[in-house]
Amino acid sequence: MKFSTLLLAAALFTAPGTAFADGPKIGPNGGQRADAGPYHVEVVLKGNDVVLYVTDGADKPVDVTGAKAEATVLANKQTQKVALEPAGANALKGQANLGGAHDSVKVVTALTMPGQKPVQARFEMGHAGH
Amino acid sequence: MTTRRLLAATVVAASLAAPVAAPALAHEGHAHGGEEPKPVVTTAAPTLEASSSDFELVAVAQGKTLLVHLDRFATNEPVNGATVEVSADGEATTASPVSGEEGVYRLDPSWLSKPGSHEVTVSVTAADAADLLIGTLEVPASAAEAQTGGAQGVSAVLGQVRNDSGLMLGAVMVFLLGVLTTVALTQRGRTRTVAGAALVGIGLLLASGAAFAHGGEDHSHGDEDKGKAPTAAVPMGATGASESPRRLPDGSLYVPKPSQRLLSVRTVVAKPQEAAQTVQLIGQVIADPNGGGHVQATQSGRIEPGDKGLPYVGQRVEAGQILAYIAPAVTFVDRSGIQQQIATVEQELVIADSRLQRLRKLEGSVPQRDIEEAEANLNGLRKRRAALSPALTTKEALRAPISGVVTANNIKAGQVVEGRDQVLFEIVDPSRLMVEAVAFDPRVANAIKAATAMTADGTSLSLELLGSSLALRQQAIPLLFRIGNPPSGLGVGQPVRLVAQIQGKASGIVLPRQSVVRNASGQPIVWQHDTPQRFVARPVRTQPVDGNTVLILAGVEPEARIVTDGAGLLNQIR
């Protein structure tokens, strides 16, 4: 019995379980968090900045180099599309025209990790999770 | 050596057992909200369901056209006149409303003919609200092939494996098992060939099992899943087969949006409230003593119709209106007696008259007293004559004592009636009706504050308590209520069911009465609007609040959407 075989067996054992532990709806950066495919994404609105943080199912930050994202923002009854660019670590950043409205703003993000299909997530700001 | 072999066997067995024991774990972490698993609904056409706190959206792909059904989330009312913009694959299309249909919009996006899953964002702008909704629309390869001749065979299978994490997991397991088997074979030589082959076989079996487990599992993004597994198998009809509502194996209902529109299903959001405690009583409608009248004869005689004929049942009469006449019945003996009296009086009249004439001629020589006496005598006789003469001919008029509607007519023209006892006509004022109920519990009788009543045909009456009797009648306390604004068509004697509010409060969810229906076993249930096209039966415990509403004491969670209109129709879906 080789050690590698044991390792393989252990990997098989744990594979189904590792999966996707679910955490609170508020992310570590103080924004709302939602599921997007295999990832957890968190949106923070600061002034006119829209920041998207990406973590994996276990809430570990994911490097977003080479990733693309687009946010559709509905504020003051106006829909606008905002392109989000990687801004270091696990954050993507973009500029929207929010007009100071942070409540009842709805955001849909489409995240495309390198070599993967886009995954969507939806946020309702100013509502305690939905 | 033996221990090593034993250890190896154990490890292999365990690694095989792990995925079998926990196949559902493949995605378990994402089954949010702890909801029970939902059955997979087989739809003929690719369907996208999405909902937010304002809107509920169902998009159905029919050939190259996407039909979007848009409703209010809380009430399930169709949303008309909204601007619906659908974006997917970087292409935004504005939908146009379908004429003649409420809350249906259509568009023909080019991406709809491409197979695979499309991440769709729908921007909805209605008069009072705006929202963004997301979902995944799975366009099956078979449908797209017919149109585009797209990916086929191995490449299609590979594409599917790439898209499906469950299949991917299975494939990885097959690979790992193969490696494991190879290790075992190279160590032990040819003697292990059979065992190796068996392992590969089991691995393949598990892989397919994992794929199935994925198909049926719960998923928070159930919207995408709903169409996924089945639509891949069911080829889409050329025009998109019409869906029919049906009952799913777990007892819930699948009702497509067009059917919901047809049944005009409406919902309310359950809100916990406090309502008064109630008791139910049985009563009946009675006439107000001041609003009901009897017409009786004071003497026996023969009925003669009035100027307008005898009144009919249901005819409206005014107070004082002559309903009929009674010609008094005078026997032959009585008649001759009266005639005798008349003759006597007339004879005396003539004598008295001539005496007065005589005395007047002698005025001054006879005492004035005699003349006055003679005058008084003559006047008295004239009055007696006047009183006697009509006794044979005068009729008694029967008049309506109150304005109202004739509810009973017990006579016909020419009928001879006895005096008293017999009631000739009954009249009821329909605007002044009352309800008399009986309560068996004196505490209930004293605690009643307000009440509503329901007739057998579902008419609701608001009641005002007038009072309760101090004397028991058949061990029960009679209670009297006045009906506020009595509806037309209410009849005296009609039985009604009263819901009387007494002191004390009960908390629960107030719903219209029609929300509560009965399931096959007679249990009261309400239908909860769970997902856009799915309804779940919730057994409930209820208590009437008034004639039209019930209080749900248990069985419904706050914020659940409960069907009000159309609950009875949903209940009939088999």
Side-chain angles (χ1 to χ4, degrees):
Chain A
M1 192 75 199
K2 286 176 185 168
F3 179 69
S4 60
T5 321
L6 206 77
L7 206 70
L8 251 157
L12 273 176
F13 232 142
T14 48
T18 49
F20 316 92
D22 212 18
K25 288 285 181 191
I26 299 292
N29 300 298
Q32 285 202 26
R33 208 183 56 171
D35 302 310
Y39 303 105
H40 281 165
V41 290
E42 180 187 349
V43 159
V44 177
L45 299 181
K46 263 185 212 156
N48 280 340
D49 284 352
V50 181
V51 190
L52 182 73
Y53 297 96
V54 184
T55 56
D56 66 4
D59 288 334
K60 291 203 187 75
V62 175
D63 184 29
V64 290
T65 314
K68 283 190 302 180
E70 188 186 50
T72 311
V73 182
L74 178 72
N76 306 325
K77 287 211 163 191
Q78 293 291 316
T79 308
Q80 47 190 314
K81 297 216 173 204
V82 182
L84 305 179
E85 300 296 333
N90 67 331
L92 296 109
K93 205 179 236 182
Q95 284 275 322
N97 181 18
L98 296 174
H102 283 189
D103 279 356
S104 66
V105 172
K106 284 154 186 153
V107 181
V108 166
T109 60
L111 172 71
T112 315
M113 294 301 275
Q116 289 187 23
K117 286 183 75 73
V119 285
Q120 285 187 310
R122 181 174 178 278
F123 306 87
E124 273 186 53
M125 301 300 171
H127 290 269
H130 188 75
Chain B
M1 187 65 184
T2 327
T3 38
R4 254 183 67 178
R5 275 175 64 186
L6 210 68
L7 189 69
T10 316
V11 165
V12 168
S15 69
L16 287 177
V20 179
L25 281 181
H27 248 64
E28 187 79 321
H30 269 238
H32 290 175
E35 293 162 23
E36 66 267 36
K38 291 165 188 167
V40 174
V41 179
T42 313
T43 51
T47 306
L48 176 152
E49 293 184 355
S51 54
S52 71
S53 54
D54 289 323
F55 298 109
E56 187 173 83
L57 181 141
V58 175
V60 182
Q62 296 195 337
K64 289 182 175 177
T65 304
L66 192 67
L67 282 179
V68 178
H69 301 261
L70 189 65
D71 297 275
R72 298 266 172 218
F73 180 79
T75 61
N76 205 36
E77 272 175 295
V79 179
N80 288 319
T83 309
V84 178
E85 195 188 65
V86 180
S87 321
D89 297 4
E91 179 191 326
T93 319
T94 304
S96 55
V98 177
S99 63
E101 301 248 18
E102 290 215 323
V104 182
Y105 304 84
R106 62 172 290 167
L107 64 156
D108 304 290
S110 60
W111 51 263
L112 200 57
S113 49
K114 290 182 204 147
S117 66
H118 301 278
E119 297 287 327
V120 181
T121 309
V122 185
S123 159
V124 176
T125 313
D128 55 341
D131 209 341
L132 290 171
L133 295 155
I134 59 166
T136 307
L137 191 70
E138 204 76 23
V139 178
S142 56
E145 268 167 30
Q147 292 160 11
T148 61
Q152 282 180 2
V154 179
S155 60
V157 171
L158 284 176
Q160 187 151 7
V161 168
R162 262 203 302 276
N163 289 337
D164 196 315
S165 56
L167 282 178
M168 186 74 103
L169 191 70
V172 168
M173 277 195 307
V174 169
F175 177 74
L176 289 175
L177 278 167
V179 171
L180 215 68
T181 312
T182 316
V183 170
L185 284 178
T186 46
Q187 276 192 339
R188 292 281 145 223
R190 283 173 166 251
T191 50
R192 291 285 180 266
T193 315
V194 180
L199 275 176
V200 171
I202 292 168
L204 282 172
L205 213 66
L206 284 173
S208 57
F212 278 126
H214 184 71
E217 87 193 311
D218 182 21
H219 198 280
S220 68
H221 310 302
D223 311 333
E224 305 121 54
D225 249 14
K226 207 139 273 179
K228 197 185 276 181
T231 41
V234 179
M236 191 178 68
T239 56
S242 66
E243 293 276 330
S244 61
R246 59 188 176 270
R247 207 167 270 249
L248 302 175
D250 69 343
S252 64
L253 295 180
Y254 169 72
V255 187
K257 272 291 167 197
S259 301
Q260 291 182 32
R261 298 275 167 84
L262 209 61
L263 303 178
S264 69
V265 172
R266 296 288 180 272
T267 59
V268 290
V269 176
K271 294 249 186 291
Q273 288 178 26
E274 288 226 316
Q277 294 266 20
T278 56
V279 288
Q280 289 204 53
L281 306 169
I282 298 296
Q284 64 170 1
V285 177
I286 59 166
D288 187 331
N290 299 314
H294 284 181
V295 178
Q296 289 175 300
T298 52
Q299 60 178 335
S300 52
R302 192 183 301 276
I303 295 292
E304 286 182 14
D307 300 337
K308 295 176 183 169
L310 292 172
Y312 307 107
V313 169
Q315 186 177 330
R316 173 138 202 119
V317 294
E318 298 306 321
Q321 183 181 333
I322 294 169
L323 306 179
Y325 291 104
I326 284 193
V330 185
T331 62
F332 189 73
V333 178
D334 288 347
R335 184 177 289 272
S336 64
I338 291 166
Q339 280 168 343
Q340 244 178 18
Q341 277 184 27
I342 290 172
T344 313
V345 169
E346 281 180 347
Q347 181 194 342
E348 286 177 9
L349 254 177
V350 172
I351 295 166
D353 192 31
S354 56
R355 183 166 175 256
L356 184 62
Q357 302 294 335
R358 220 171 31 248
L359 286 173
R360 282 210 175 124
K361 281 175 193 162
L362 299 172
E363 199 170 0
S365 56
V366 293
Q368 186 62 26
R369 185 174 58 93
D370 288 354
I371 297 174
E372 283 170 4
E373 257 182 21
E375 274 177 356
N377 191 23
L378 183 65
N379 283 339
L381 284 169
R382 274 186 185 144
K383 281 180 182 164
R384 276 173 70 186
R385 172 70 184 86
L388 274 170
S389 58
L392 293 176
T393 52
T394 304
K395 302 171 201 167
E396 182 192 358
L398 299 174
R399 293 177 187 273
I402 57 157
S403 298
V405 174
V406 176
T407 55
N409 173 5
N410 300 321
I411 54 166
K412 292 184 171 59
Q415 187 174 345
V416 174
V417 297
E418 292 298 317
R420 309 255 164 71
D421 303 344
Q422 193 176 358
V423 175
L424 306 181
F425 302 105
E426 284 176 30
I427 300 167
V428 167
D429 185 351
S431 65
R432 300 176 68 177
L433 290 174
M434 294 179 153
V435 167
E436 190 187 54
V438 289
F440 291 92
D441 188 346
R443 282 168 301 175
V444 166
N446 295 332
I448 287 173
K449 295 195 290 187
T452 56
M454 289 279 282
T455 61
D457 60 0
T459 315
S460 175
L461 314 169
S462 66
L463 302 182
E464 176 200 340
L465 181 68
L466 290 176
S468 58
S469 170
L470 295 174
L472 295 190
R473 195 172 63 199
Q474 291 168 355
Q475 310 301 322
I477 300 168
L479 300 166
L480 208 57
F481 298 90
R482 182 185 298 289
I483 303 175
N485 298 324
S488 61
L490 208 57
V492 171
Q494 198 171 350
V496 290
R497 196 164 41 77
L498 274 80
V499 178
Q501 291 163 9
I502 57 174
Q503 274 137 6
K505 293 269 177 192
S507 67
I509 287 154
V510 176
L511 288 177
R513 177 170 287 278
Q514 74 257 29
S515 291
V516 180
V517 290
R518 290 193 181 271
N519 66 7
S521 57
Q523 200 177 14
I525 55 164
V526 295
W527 286 103
Q528 182 179 341
H529 197 182
D530 190 36
T531 59
Q533 301 195 98
R534 183 164 170 265
F535 295 85
V536 185
R538 299 271 179 232
V540 290
R541 188 154 55 86
T542 65
Q543 175 200 293
V545 173
D546 56 35
N548 291 326
T549 51
V550 291
L551 188 69
I552 308 294
L553 296 169
V556 172
E557 297 291 320
E559 300 304 313
R561 291 178 293 161
I562 305 299
V563 178
T564 55
D565 297 5
L569 295 168
L570 284 185
N571 206 32
Q572 287 168 22
I573 295 172
R574 291 286 174 268

